[in-house]
Amino acid sequence: DTAVSQTPKYLVTQMGNDKSIKCEQNLGHDTMYWYKQDSKKFLKIMFSYNNKELIINETVPNRFSPKSPDKAHLNLHINSLELGDSAVYFCASSPSGSTDTQYFGPGTRLTVL
Amino acid sequence: KQEVTQIPAALSVPEGENLVLNCSFTDSAIYNLQWFRQDPGKGLTSLLLIQSSQREQTSGRLNASLDKSSGRSTLYIAASQPGDSATYLCAGGSGANNLFFGTGTRLTVIP
């Protein structure tokens, strides 16, 4: 059984489009995260979401918005895509907060043309 | 703001050798220190988690240590195998559910 899953695995789109990436975890965890891994393989947190409390990394543009329909899902919506948004996006979850081990999804490679 | 550095960026060793990967962090007020493994094109797999009150954790051939006073952590891999080839990332856990990652060490174990 896949613990943290993401769809799609690959996403290729044009500049200016709006897209979504879905994330689901079946671990019963309370906290979910979105990370961005850039072309230099540097991984940086974008959001964490716990019990309807959203913590946003201040460097993330407001074109990015996480949406959580329930505790098992945290989807990432991106408006007006830009070339610099091209990266691999990882979803993760943990039992509670940052003191716990985080479990990562397989990643979504986004390419903006 | 927490900054995490990993040296070296890449490492090649012959199979069977013991090796140490290094991680340094700037803010000693971390909640924990985690080591992950990332295979090419894949997500991250958690290897070891050391809480701030702990000095080390062990899992099989892996041993991770944490020295908050010096801002350092090491990952020791015993009797390396070709299957250990991957990128190893350390990450410091801070407040507000933040996890600050290093840039990783790409390990190649040569058969």
Side-chain angles (χ1 to χ4, degrees):
Chain A
D1 283 343
T2 303
V4 183
S5 59
Q6 296 179 228
T7 54
K9 188 172 176 62
Y10 300 97
L11 183 55
V12 181
T13 188
Q14 300 285 334
M15 274 177 53
N17 284 350
D18 303 336
K19 290 293 179 185
S20 295
I21 306 171
K22 294 185 177 181
C23 176
E24 176 181 2
Q25 54 96 3
N26 62 6
L27 298 167
H29 289 170
D30 286 337
T31 305
M32 296 184 73
Y33 311 80
W34 277 104
Y35 290 87
K36 178 181 180 180
Q37 188 171 43
D38 61 25
S39 58
K40 295 183 178 179
K41 305 298 185 185
F42 186 62
L43 204 65
K44 194 170 184 180
I45 192 164
M46 300 177 69
F47 306 99
S48 67
Y49 194 83
N50 181 329
N51 267 344
K52 301 187 179 180
E53 179 189 10
L54 177 65
I55 300 173
I56 303 171
N57 185 321
E58 61 189 11
T59 66
V60 175
N62 58 15
R63 298 181 295 103
F64 291 78
S65 57
K67 288 183 169 43
S68 180
D70 55 57
K71 199 172 82 164
H73 297 83
L74 184 66
N75 303 324
L76 182 64
H77 296 266
I78 316 170
N79 294 327
S80 304
L81 277 155
E82 301 177 358
L83 293 176
D85 297 333
S86 295
V88 180
Y89 292 84
F90 288 99
C91 176
S93 72
S94 68
S96 55
S98 60
T99 56
D100 297 323
T101 297
Q102 295 192 16
Y103 296 82
F104 279 73
T108 296
R109 181 174 295 277
L110 170 66
T111 303
V112 182
L113 303 175
Chain B
K1 180 191 169 189
Q2 180 74 268
E3 292 186 7
V4 181
T5 306
Q6 291 184 249
I7 295 173
L11 180 65
S12 290
V13 300
E15 182 177 1
E17 221 175 74
N18 302 327
L19 61 101
V20 175
L21 305 180
N22 296 298
C23 172
S24 61
F25 48 92
T26 55
D27 185 358
S28 62
I30 57 171
Y31 288 14
N32 57 43
L33 195 291
Q34 302 185 37
W35 283 93
F36 295 86
R37 164 187 178 135
Q38 185 174 26
D39 293 284
K42 299 289 179 64
L44 278 69
T45 301
S46 178
L47 298 173
L48 290 165
L49 167 67
I50 312 174
Q51 299 293 355
S52 62
S53 59
Q54 298 173 322
R55 294 291 297 236
E56 65 177 337
Q57 283 287 335
T58 298
S59 176
R61 294 182 295 109
L62 305 180
N63 176 277
S65 68
L66 174 63
D67 185 342
K68 288 179 60 179
S69 61
S70 65
R72 296 176 67 181
S73 176
T74 61
L75 179 66
Y76 174 83
I77 303 177
S80 58
Q81 302 171 358
D84 295 332
S85 298
T87 296
Y88 290 81
L89 296 158
C90 70
S94 298
N97 293 334
N98 262 335
L99 203 60
F100 293 91
F101 278 85
T103 48
T105 295
R106 187 186 307 165
L107 173 65
T108 303
V109 180
I110 304 165

